[in-house]
Amino acid sequence: MFQEIANFITEYKYIIMPILVWVFIQLFKFIYDLVTTKKINFKRILQAGGMPSSHSGVVVCLTTMIGKDVGINSPLFAVSLIFSLVVMDDAAGVRRAAGKQAKLLNKIVETPGLTGVQMHEKLVEVLGHSPKEVIVGALIGLIVGLVF
């Protein structure tokens, strides 16, 4: 039984390990949020943003595993590396800016007399990551990719 599980993990490691990185990072954020706010927020498990970046962890884990197995001079590694850089740039750039804009728009809409716009729910403010959150997520992905 154990050998079958080990074989399955080895055969599908490029899928399993990045998903496990994502699960563990999201669980960490959920538990950290629970400890700091004393409230259960199940949305935190699937929510983007916060420390560390699960997006960065996932893509760097995958890229590291590919680099280890097929070499850093392979086309597959190059594709994975470029994909990782785009994802991390997006997390710290575009999505972070969108989160800042959502925060400002929520304040504007909530200001009495400033606008007649009514919103049924607030815009999501925690969308992106700071560069530090991206780096920490990438380091987690690198370590897991090197170990497995």
Side-chain angles (χ1 to χ4, degrees):
M1 179 70 170
F2 178 74
Q3 187 62 37
E4 291 173 7
I5 294 171
N7 289 342
F8 180 81
I9 291 172
T10 302
E11 188 173 348
Y12 295 101
K13 66 183 176 183
Y14 294 108
I15 296 170
I16 293 171
M17 294 316 299
I19 289 173
L20 285 178
V21 166
W22 180 83
V23 167
F24 286 122
I25 289 175
Q26 291 302 109
L27 275 175
F28 169 80
K29 290 193 256 189
F30 171 76
I31 292 167
Y32 181 80
D33 193 54
L34 175 65
V35 169
T36 56
T37 65
K38 309 279 192 268
K39 294 178 184 174
I40 295 176
N41 181 6
F42 288 112
K43 288 181 182 178
R44 193 68 188 115
I45 292 175
L46 298 176
Q47 211 170 36
M51 172 66 90
S53 167
S54 56
H55 292 86
S56 299
V58 167
V59 295
V60 171
C61 176
L62 181 60
T63 300
T64 303
M65 291 170 59
I66 289 170
K68 272 180 50 185
D69 287 354
V70 299
I72 61 171
N73 61 342
S74 72
L76 184 57
F77 176 77
V79 169
S80 185
L81 179 64
I82 298 302
F83 172 72
S84 294
L85 293 173
V86 168
V87 167
M88 291 187 295
D89 179 61
D90 180 66
V94 176
R95 288 189 312 113
R96 183 166 171 81
K100 288 180 178 181
Q101 289 175 358
K103 191 174 193 173
L104 180 61
L105 286 170
N106 284 335
K107 281 184 183 178
I108 290 171
V109 171
E110 291 171 354
T111 304
L114 188 59
T115 179
V117 176
Q118 288 186 335
M119 295 189 51
H120 300 287
E121 59 185 69
K122 289 178 73 172
L123 297 172
V124 178
E125 296 177 6
V126 184
L127 292 173
H129 297 280
S130 69
K132 182 179 175 182
E133 293 166 345
V134 169
I135 290 168
V136 171
L139 287 174
I140 292 169
L142 179 68
I143 292 166
V144 171
L146 288 172
V147 170
F148 296 97

